[in-house]
Amino acid sequence: MSIRIGIMGYGNLGRGIECAIKQNEDMELKAVFTRRAPESVSILTEGVQVYPADQILDHKEEIDVLILCGGSATDLPVQTPEYAKHFHVVDSFDTHAKIPQHFAAVDASAQEGGKVAVISCGWDPGMFSLNRLYAGAILPVGQDYTFWGKGVSQGHSDAIRRVNGVVDAKQYTIPVEEALEAVRSGSNPELTTRQKHLRECFVVATEGADKEKIETEIKTMPNYFADYDTIVHFISKDELDRDHSGIPHGGFVIRSGKTGWEGENSHIIEYSLKLDSNPEFTASVIVAYARAAYRMGQKGHKGCKTVFDIPPAYLSAMSGEELRAHLL
Amino acid sequence: MSIRIGIMGYGNLGRGIECAIKQNEDMELKAVFTRRAPESVSILTEGVQVYPADQILDHKEEIDVLILCGGSATDLPVQTPEYAKHFHVVDSFDTHAKIPQHFAAVDASAQEGGKVAVISCGWDPGMFSLNRLYAGAILPVGQDYTFWGKGVSQGHSDAIRRVNGVVDAKQYTIPVEEALEAVRSGSNPELTTRQKHLRECFVVATEGADKEKIETEIKTMPNYFADYDTIVHFISKDELDRDHSGIPHGGFVIRSGKTGWEGENSHIIEYSLKLDSNPEFTASVIVAYARAAYRMGQKGHKGCKTVFDIPPAYLSAMSGEELRAHLL
């Protein structure tokens, strides 16, 4: 019998979940829930219904794991605790600073409901966090470095769009190659914000706009750009749509550490991602953890879990015997 | 109270374990056991005794986790099942093909003794296996690639030393840069043995030896070299000792996969290690898993475990709260 998945929220992430389910033979999409008018939402999987979000409890018996595809700012802080009372759930809550309070709220609900709730699942938080944990446990004397990109930052693209005279924009975060090489050399450099990443912006301006003024406004924007070397290109709307419609991302987690009686030997552990589609990859991670949530539930576990708490074997469709024989 | 570690076998790996324990404040080295004459073994940690291997059961109450540093060919198949009856143990059994039978033997003993036994711990098997599992679970439609090196292969160095006229030798396994790049491009190439790695040998010949004959014998050696492009350098014993006394190693685990409704997006997950000292890094992984074995034992778990079965949080000296606040 397959694991029956429900999707709450059908944007880029929800669609990615749907695609990922198709790649996993032990799973099936059971239903999609939306706050929009269900008839306005057209999904890819034949024979699967879209229901109004507020009817979700009517489908409690049909769904093994509910995947929450809302945003971290306002949706998930409410939804995850609410639904963890009734379903095994997985979310991708990514406001790092608020994870402890989100964990506490979700744990209370999941304990009460006897369900497993996996929060902050994806690649950062998620796979990057895991790699920071493993590498730090293996090399306790050392230093962590996380670089992001090359990839699209939605937040920074939005910030540019709010500048007067800007029609549309896309911002790429790019790790600085020299900084990566310095870290990989084992020299444990201290790197400033500016030394680690640069920001490249593709901007469509309104006709007759003062481009110099727009460029200055972007480059001096506090928090978003002022601390970085920023490159601004003005392009046409057609060029933006043609060359910058993807949502690539990725990055690097590097631990540089020492071993030996006097710390005489150096080691570099590096984990990197190069992703054509940020939401589809995030969705793929979430779907693997949905399998884990289901299995942990079957074994009687309950409460809030993160990637740190979940035995890796639960993620794989293979049995323990197969894993040991083929992957170990 | 610290976790009290015993070391069985004091070679390169045992010494690496001793160094790693020094870096972990929640651990202490309690005793070293050896099959050699204890007075002939001089260790680094002040105040710690070396005992004969056959007296180990006298120290049962002083040791929380026993780390087995013997070889996979003849030591561990006997030692791990034997000691898992009496101690939580960790070994680095690395004969991939025999892992299932080793697991079964160790599991029977550990279940009987109520102990936790972690087998096949290190980087391959170990961290590389874990990365194959995670990446394959996340990207089920894709292909795995493992490259080793640049690093010293003990087995290949030994094989060269058995050639007539060879005094000493060191062999480096080197991943072919073009093959790595092809994999990273997402083109999912089919790679032959020769296309993936090359072998570079530094050989000290006896005076007056027929170097051409030695080189041919190395390059045509079945299993070890015949399937590879092999480079042979003849150097002096002094040069070998000066430039090739280290035991570096490392490698790459890469998963290239597709997502999207029609597999239209490509993703690359890459994990790599660059290690100055193969045994010290292996030891560092083992010591983190010794912490995990101890904690799982405290929670009442028993039986044989691999890196696949162990929740990542158990490896870290940090609490769950600290991990969520700082690493997630």
Side-chain angles (χ1 to χ4, degrees):
Chain A
M1 211 191 67
S2 13
I3 304 171
R4 299 164 305 170
I5 306 288
I7 295 174
M8 171 61 72
Y10 194 79
N12 280 332
L13 183 60
R15 190 180 178 284
I17 300 288
E18 183 180 23
C19 294
I21 291 169
K22 188 188 177 197
Q23 293 188 327
N24 286 280
E25 287 175 13
D26 61 340
M27 300 196 175
E28 69 177 295
L29 178 61
K30 202 65 197 175
V32 171
F33 300 91
T34 180
R35 286 176 299 193
R36 290 180 275 165
E39 61 279 11
S40 74
V41 174
S42 141
I43 69 168
L44 301 164
T45 312
E46 271 180 49
V48 172
Q49 296 290 311
V50 181
Y51 300 102
D54 58 12
Q55 289 177 17
I56 189 165
L57 291 186
D58 301 344
H59 301 271
K60 214 175 141 166
E61 300 310 317
E62 300 154 29
I63 289 167
D64 294 314
V65 183
L66 180 66
I67 297 178
L68 303 171
C69 300
S72 296
T74 56
D75 299 331
L76 299 175
V78 177
Q79 288 182 351
T80 315
E82 183 181 333
Y83 296 126
K85 287 180 196 155
H86 307 288
F87 300 92
H88 300 313
V89 298
V90 186
D91 82 14
S92 59
F93 184 81
D94 67 357
T95 313
H96 291 259
K98 293 189 176 167
I99 287 173
Q101 78 193 63
H102 188 56
F103 182 92
V106 174
D107 192 50
S109 288
Q111 294 286 356
E112 184 192 326
K115 300 294 179 184
V116 173
V118 181
I119 62 160
S120 301
C121 195
W123 60 274
D124 196 2
M127 298 313 296
F128 273 19
S129 325
L130 259 184
N131 276 279
R132 287 187 283 261
L133 188 162
Y134 277 118
I138 294 168
L139 295 175
V141 177
Q143 211 164 323
D144 278 330
Y145 296 88
T146 301
F147 292 85
W148 293 273
K150 180 183 176 174
V152 172
S153 163
Q154 222 55 62
H156 288 78
S157 301
D158 291 345
I160 300 172
R161 284 190 207 103
R162 288 191 294 265
V163 171
N164 227 321
V166 171
V167 176
D168 203 351
K170 206 85 176 234
Q171 193 268 184
Y172 296 93
T173 305
I174 305 173
V176 175
E177 196 55 46
E178 292 75 18
L180 275 169
E181 288 312 318
V183 169
R184 288 182 184 131
S185 77
S187 69
N188 285 9
E190 292 285 336
L191 296 166
T192 63
T193 298
R194 190 179 301 273
Q195 286 171 320
K196 285 184 72 185
H197 296 95
L198 56 89
R199 300 198 174 278
E200 188 172 24
C201 314
F202 294 87
V203 181
V204 181
T206 52
E207 224 178 291
D210 182 345
K211 291 183 179 171
E212 214 165 300
K213 187 159 167 271
I214 291 174
E215 182 164 343
T216 305
E217 203 169 322
I218 293 171
K219 288 184 169 176
T220 57
M221 201 184 292
N223 303 318
Y224 287 92
F225 294 99
D227 298 335
Y228 298 86
D229 287 337
T230 301
I231 303 160
V232 177
H233 308 278
F234 287 95
I235 61 174
S236 70
K237 178 70 177 155
D238 286 351
E239 286 170 316
L240 190 80
D241 292 344
R242 186 190 66 205
D243 302 334
H244 303 281
S245 65
I247 321 175
H249 220 311
F252 304 81
V253 172
I254 305 177
R255 177 108 181 150
S256 168
K258 303 282 183 190
T259 65
W261 193 248
E262 302 293 349
E264 60 271 26
N265 287 312
S266 293
H267 305 271
I268 302 286
I269 304 175
E270 177 169 341
Y271 180 80
S272 70
L273 297 174
K274 205 175 88 192
L275 314 175
D276 271 2
S277 164
N278 185 355
E280 286 180 10
F281 186 80
T282 301
S284 297
V285 176
I286 288 174
V287 164
Y289 277 96
R291 178 184 289 119
Y294 174 73
R295 290 185 176 168
M296 293 181 87
Q298 296 291 99
K299 295 211 178 241
H301 292 272
K302 61 180 179 172
C304 189
K305 312 285 173 193
T306 74
V307 294
F308 296 157
D309 306 308
I310 297 174
Y314 283 122
L315 303 187
S316 171
M318 291 192 216
S319 70
E321 290 75 16
E322 289 173 309
L323 288 173
R324 286 190 293 275
H326 302 300
L327 291 187
L328 198 62
Chain B
M1 211 189 69
S2 8
I3 303 170
R4 301 164 303 170
I5 306 287
I7 294 174
M8 171 62 72
Y10 193 79
N12 280 332
L13 183 60
R15 189 179 179 284
I17 300 289
E18 183 181 23
C19 294
I21 291 168
K22 188 189 178 197
Q23 293 188 328
N24 286 281
E25 287 175 13
D26 60 339
M27 302 196 173
E28 70 177 294
L29 177 62
K30 202 66 198 178
V32 171
F33 301 91
T34 179
R35 286 176 300 194
R36 291 179 274 165
E39 61 278 11
S40 74
V41 174
S42 140
I43 69 169
L44 301 164
T45 313
E46 271 182 47
V48 173
Q49 295 290 311
V50 181
Y51 300 102
D54 58 13
Q55 288 177 16
I56 188 165
L57 292 187
D58 300 345
H59 300 271
K60 215 174 141 166
E61 301 309 318
E62 299 155 30
I63 289 167
D64 294 313
V65 184
L66 180 65
I67 296 178
L68 303 171
C69 300
S72 296
T74 55
D75 298 332
L76 298 175
V78 177
Q79 287 181 352
T80 315
E82 184 180 332
Y83 296 126
K85 287 180 197 156
H86 307 287
F87 299 91
H88 301 312
V89 298
V90 186
D91 82 14
S92 59
F93 185 81
D94 66 358
T95 312
H96 290 259
K98 293 189 177 165
I99 286 173
Q101 77 192 64
H102 188 57
F103 183 92
V106 174
D107 192 50
S109 288
Q111 294 286 357
E112 184 191 325
K115 300 294 180 185
V116 172
V118 181
I119 62 160
S120 301
C121 195
W123 60 274
D124 197 3
M127 298 313 296
F128 272 21
S129 325
L130 259 185
N131 276 280
R132 286 187 284 261
L133 187 162
Y134 277 118
I138 294 169
L139 295 175
V141 177
Q143 211 163 323
D144 278 330
Y145 296 88
T146 301
F147 291 85
W148 293 274
K150 181 182 178 176
V152 172
S153 163
Q154 222 55 62
H156 288 79
S157 301
D158 291 345
I160 300 171
R161 284 189 207 102
R162 288 192 295 266
V163 171
N164 227 321
V166 171
V167 177
D168 203 350
K170 207 86 177 236
Q171 193 268 182
Y172 295 91
T173 305
I174 304 174
V176 175
E177 196 57 44
E178 291 75 17
L180 274 170
E181 287 311 319
V183 169
R184 288 181 185 133
S185 77
S187 69
N188 285 7
E190 292 285 335
L191 297 165
T192 62
T193 298
R194 189 179 301 273
Q195 286 171 319
K196 286 183 72 185
H197 296 94
L198 56 88
R199 301 198 173 278
E200 187 171 25
C201 314
F202 293 87
V203 181
V204 181
T206 52
E207 222 177 294
D210 181 344
K211 290 183 182 173
E212 213 165 301
K213 187 160 167 273
I214 291 174
E215 182 165 341
T216 304
E217 204 168 321
I218 293 171
K219 288 183 170 178
T220 57
M221 200 184 292
N223 303 319
Y224 286 93
F225 295 99
D227 298 335
Y228 296 86
D229 287 336
T230 301
I231 302 160
V232 176
H233 308 278
F234 288 95
I235 60 174
S236 70
K237 178 72 177 151
D238 285 351
E239 287 170 315
L240 190 81
D241 293 344
R242 187 191 65 204
D243 302 332
H244 303 282
S245 64
I247 320 175
H249 220 311
F252 304 81
V253 172
I254 305 177
R255 176 103 181 155
S256 168
K258 303 282 183 192
T259 65
W261 193 248
E262 302 293 348
E264 59 272 25
N265 286 312
S266 293
H267 305 272
I268 301 287
I269 304 174
E270 177 168 344
Y271 180 80
S272 71
L273 297 173
K274 205 175 88 191
L275 314 174
D276 271 2
S277 164
N278 185 354
E280 286 180 10
F281 186 81
T282 300
S284 296
V285 176
I286 289 174
V287 164
Y289 277 95
R291 178 184 291 120
Y294 174 74
R295 290 184 176 168
M296 292 182 87
Q298 296 291 99
K299 295 209 176 243
H301 293 273
K302 60 181 179 171
C304 189
K305 311 285 173 195
T306 74
V307 294
F308 296 157
D309 307 308
I310 297 174
Y314 282 122
L315 303 186
S316 172
M318 290 191 217
S319 70
E321 289 75 16
E322 288 173 309
L323 289 173
R324 284 190 294 275
H326 302 301
L327 292 187
L328 198 61

